[in-house]
Amino acid sequence: MDQNQRLLRLCNGFELHLSHQPGASQSAALLQVKAGSYDEPARWSGLAHLLEHLLFSGGEQFPGQQRLMPWVQSLGGQVNATTLAYRTAYFWQVPANCLGDGMARLKDMVLHPQLTAAAIAQESRVIDAEYRLLQQHLPALTEAALLHSIENPACFRDFHVGSLACFGEDTALLRQALVAFHARYYVSQNAQLRLSGPQSLDELEEMARQFVAGWPEGTARAAEPLPQLAAAPHAQLKQNGPQQLWISWLIQRSDDVIRDAVTLLREFALDAAPGSLLAQLREQGFCREISFHWLSTGDNSCWPAVKFITDTPDQLLAAWQQWLAQLAETSPQQQAHYQQLALRRFHHLTPLEKVRQQTLGFAPESAIPHLDQLLPLLKESVCLWVSPDAPTQTCVTQGYTLSRSSWSLPSMSLEVRWKFTFYPQPLPEPAPAVLADGAGLLHLKPDSWPATLLLRPAWHCSPDAVRGRALAEQLGGSFAWLRHLGGEAEWAEVQGIWQFTLQLPANHSAAQWLMTQIADALVSTSPAHPLPPESIALRQLLAALPGVLLASTGSGQWQGALLGGDRTLAQQLAARMAVLPPLEEVEKARPARQMQPIAHPGNENALLLFIPLLDATPASLLALQVLARCYEPLFFQRLRVELQVGYAVTCRYLRCGDRDGVLLAAQSPDVPIATLLAEFKAFLRNMTAQIAQLTQEDIQQHVQRLLHEAQGQNIATTLQRTLRREAGLAELPEETNTQLTAVDLLGLHQQLLSQRRQWRMLFSRGKQ
């Protein structure tokens, strides 16, 4: 374990994982309790899920708006939880200096939950709404189809989400079951805590020990039984959408070595560099996307899976088997190289994503690869074929009615004999060197390394999502090749704008070669696959918002900022930028209608309201973000808790398509769009009195946190901010002593209310 990590196993059974992150501005915490859906009594399906929801209702010391969730929201942080088969996890991220206050709130809600009758009734309805939504949620249905391959224990096929029908009408009896479940499993013997942040390991340990003090010891939960596959585990699932092949392995081990090896396997498989598995599958048209998932993890078994978006399962299976055989022949040096890539991928994550991946996902815990211990365990797989053309055969499992049937694996196609490339490999021939005077490229901190280039279209312009994703796929091989040289490259949608972020190695030939690949991709006519609709209606509205706000879906101009690198590199990049072709013909966006329907196949009502900030200045932008921090917890409280419109409710500051504004959004299974809009407006009107009650101390706390967070942003965000200032666009003030008053906030709030003609509303109306 490196010097920035510390693992402690206390005498009461509590396990502490501490991570010092030098330079981070945020801290994160994750509490995992070894109890999940498969531990609940047979009488109470969904009990573990319901308890997870209820703990956020608050404890003895921090009720109401002081409890963890609204408190984190008021800080602009992130907070969530998840209930899995044998685990429940609570995780959140806040400014680093607030970690201790957050730990006190977490301890209060977990150890002293109130479990009031009102909260139980409220969260029961929320979970019932979730269950109704999941009935049409493809990822949930696919997971249920995969888990049905387990014959024993029966819990893999039982219903666990929860519903009003399961919870019944006797709230007192349900509360007794919740209290008993909490007392049995929420004990130190079953708990693990992860803390990550810029604090020293000693400081993190002190906070962790304060958190652990007072926990009941209880009895450790017994190890779960080993799962047993059905006689015919391979299956096919009839579902609309892109065809998918899932290959998974039920491994009768679940130690750090195996999980680390699965992470390394994932790193090899996700490599898109020329000659790799993914690159060749894309070239042949056999697969567009690969992703890895954990279907289940327990004390003595784990179930990893890989998903392929493919129309040719026979070709895919053949390629995969040949790839595994060649992977087994890779050298220790090659495996160590990919292990380093996995470590780099992990280190780029936020503190919150790091603790989540370490607990629930794919995190390399060692610099030493252990692939040789995993590959022999992958000989027997469980496959699922998902296709609209699969036969219809009814199967009821986990509370879902599926069109699932057994599947005989297709004969592996041997039309293609595959020869795969594993890295590192020699550098390709560079393009001829060209130089320019650097005009058009902002160069910051010259002669420092590494060098990071931000390259983006003109302001308020961007390709649409279909074209953007096609370019991402086309450039994936070049970007992956750069990773093997120590660089990083990404073409991604950031705040509604597709842009390049390139971390370039000191090798100028590599930078020139990459820029040539980018220029070639921008003039190509590679096919753009239509995007399938988002499974959640609210996400579909968010995906559509950039197209509503952008002035153009193309750009004939490029602008960039380079941080680091020498003068020669800046000259070469400027020359390449000067000849970059337009993404496509500039298409002026039509004037946006105030209220626009967005097609979605679901049957729920979703509404998104974006209120733009007009004529933004640094001061008004700061006031807008403070207002959003004030709105967020109260909006959640009003719509999610008091009105109970549904489980999906959000309010926050948002920059989208180079426009700043406040976002309010909600999704409901039964509340009409008109009613949602009326509640949005009523909330905004009622906020006038709330803002007037803010003290100057409250306001300045928000101001200082926002300005502090702005200073701790990543390099790409810093470059974006610099480009905006150069163009005269508003960014947060650089002065740390900036003052705001309640009068300033009220003035802006009233301005936002008065400019209703500028509001943009998107809605997705459920099937009637």
Side-chain angles (χ1 to χ4, degrees), residues 585-656:
E585 289 299 319
V586 175
E587 178 182 324
K588 293 296 181 183
R590 297 176 181 176
R593 288 177 289 172
Q594 188 178 19
M595 196 160 189
Q596 296 178 255
I598 303 297
H600 188 268
N603 58 2
E604 295 206 350
N605 299 322
L607 174 65
L608 181 155
L609 168 61
F610 182 79
I611 306 177
L613 176 65
L614 304 181
D615 303 321
T617 65
S620 65
L621 181 58
L622 178 60
L624 179 76
Q625 294 192 32
V626 171
L627 274 180
R629 291 278 174 97
C630 297
Y631 291 167
E632 183 175 357
L634 297 176
F635 184 76
F636 185 90
Q637 173 70 20
R638 177 59 181 162
L639 273 80
R640 168 70 165 72
V641 178
E642 297 173 11
L643 297 177
Q644 302 176 24
V645 301
Y647 74 95
V649 171
T650 186
C651 173
R652 64 183 187 273
Y653 158 76
L654 180 70
R655 176 173 289 166
C656 183

Side-chain angles (χ1 to χ4, degrees), residues 7-10 12-18 29-35 87-91 103 106 110 185-195 208 211-212 215 256 259 299 355-360 365:
L7 169 61
L8 299 170
R9 291 184 175 89
L10 305 184
N12 64 357
F14 222 112
E15 195 172 288
L16 305 179
H17 295 257
L18 312 174
L30 185 148
L31 172 68
Q32 177 180 253
V33 176
K34 192 183 292 186
R87 305 286 188 272
T88 303
Y90 305 85
F91 40 90
M103 295 300 296
L106 178 66
V110 171
Y185 293 109
Y186 280 67
V187 295
S188 62
Q189 295 285 348
N190 283 337
Q192 177 193 96
L193 176 69
R194 288 185 183 270
L195 296 182
F211 179 81
V212 170
W215 269 68
D256 291 342
R259 289 193 293 270
D299 293 321
V355 296
R356 288 188 69 247
Q357 289 298 320
Q358 287 171 326
T359 308
L360 308 171
E365 298 291 346

